Amino acid sequence: MSKLTVLHFPDPRLRKKARPVAGVDAGIRQLSKDMLETMYAENGIGLAATQVNVQQRVIVMDLSAERDAPMTLVNPEILEQSGTEEMEEGCLSVPGFSDLVQRAEKITCRYLNLDGELIEEEADGLRAVCIQHEIDHLDGKLFIDYLSPIKKRRLRKKIEKQNKIRAL
Ligand code: K2U
Ligand code: ZN
C-alpha cells in the first residue's frame, strides 16, 4: 500500500475529466487500496481518483464512525435524484475552507464494486452528499464552483496569499 499525494486547488489537473474504467482488475484494486490509505491519512470520508492525479472513474468512501467500512465505487453514475438539501462541505483538495452547498437530497447511484458486480442503491444524507461531491471530482468540478463569484474570488485570493507565504 502507498499513501498518494492529494492535489490542491488551483492545480489544473483537478479540472481533468476522468475516463471510465474498462474492467475491475488488479490495478484498480491496488488503486483503491492506495486511495483508501490516503483518505484515512488525510481524515477524509471520501476521495476521488482525480484528486490523486489518476484520471480513472474510481471513488472511495468510508462514512463509519469506526473508520472500518471502506467502499469503492467504480464508474459511479447517478441514475435519479430528488429534493434539495444544503450542507457545509469541505474538500481535501481545498484545505482550510468550507461553505454551504446545495445538492440533491436523495439519489439512486449505480456503480461497479471491486468484484466487478453492478450495484444500484439509493442514498440520502451525508452518503448522498459525499457521492455527489466525489462524482463532481471525476468531472473536474469542485464544491467551490457552486459558490457565488464574490466568495470564489475571495477564496482564490486567500489561497494565493497562503501559497506566497509558503513559498517564502
Ligand atoms: O473529496 C474530498 O475532498 C473528501 C471530502 C468528502 C466530502 C465533502 C463534503 C461532504 C461530505 C464528504 C471531505 O473533505 S472529507 C472531510 C469531511 C469529513 C466529515 C464530514 C464532511 C467532510
Ligand atoms: Zn473534495
Side-chain angles (χ1 to χ4, degrees):
M1 293 240 274
S2 49
K3 183 180 177 303
L4 306 172
T5 302
V6 176
L7 301 177
H8 287 169
F9 176 83
D11 191 314
R13 293 171 292 183
L14 286 167
R15 297 305 187 174
K16 289 185 176 182
K17 187 170 174 62
R19 296 179 304 278
V21 171
V24 179
D25 58 13
I28 295 297
R29 282 189 278 274
Q30 186 57 52
L31 172 63
S32 162
K33 284 179 183 171
D34 293 346
M35 286 174 64
L36 283 165
E37 181 180 347
T38 306
M39 182 193 77
Y40 289 127
E42 301 276 346
N43 296 315
I45 60 173
L47 189 70
T50 307
Q51 293 177 273
V52 290
N53 195 26
V54 173
Q55 282 74 41
Q56 298 231 52
R57 299 189 76 82
V58 179
I59 64 178
V60 296
M61 296 167 37
D62 185 343
L63 279 68
S64 69
E66 301 75 19
R67 312 290 277 154
D68 62 357
M71 277 187 74
T72 301
L73 290 73
V74 178
N75 296 338
E77 48 187 333
I78 294 172
L79 301 179
E80 293 169 14
Q81 60 184 45
S82 63
T84 57
E85 56 73 45
E86 205 173 50
M87 188 181 287
E88 182 89 9
E89 295 194 19
C91 182
L92 298 178
S93 293
V94 190
F97 296 92
S98 65
D99 211 321
L100 289 173
V101 176
Q102 199 167 76
R103 294 190 189 270
E105 182 186 20
K106 292 187 179 182
I107 62 171
T108 301
C109 179
R110 180 168 65 189
Y111 61 90
L112 290 173
N113 66 15
L114 284 183
D115 296 321
E117 297 163 331
L118 195 61
I119 308 291
E120 193 171 304
E121 64 184 16
E122 294 186 358
D124 60 9
L126 185 57
R127 180 179 297 277
V129 170
C130 189
I131 291 171
Q132 293 173 82
H133 179 109
E134 302 309 338
I135 290 177
D136 269 357
H137 274 302
L138 299 180
D139 292 328
K141 201 170 174 94
L142 299 170
F143 83 95
I144 57 174
D145 298 340
Y146 296 95
L147 305 184
S148 67
I150 293 172
K151 277 193 173 181
K152 203 172 168 183
R153 194 177 314 117
R154 205 179 293 155
L155 182 146
R156 180 180 280 277
K157 286 193 181 310
K158 275 188 187 175
I159 290 176
E160 284 165 355
K161 189 177 174 187
Q162 273 180 357
N163 290 346
K164 279 192 187 125
I165 292 166
R166 263 195 220 112
L168 289 177

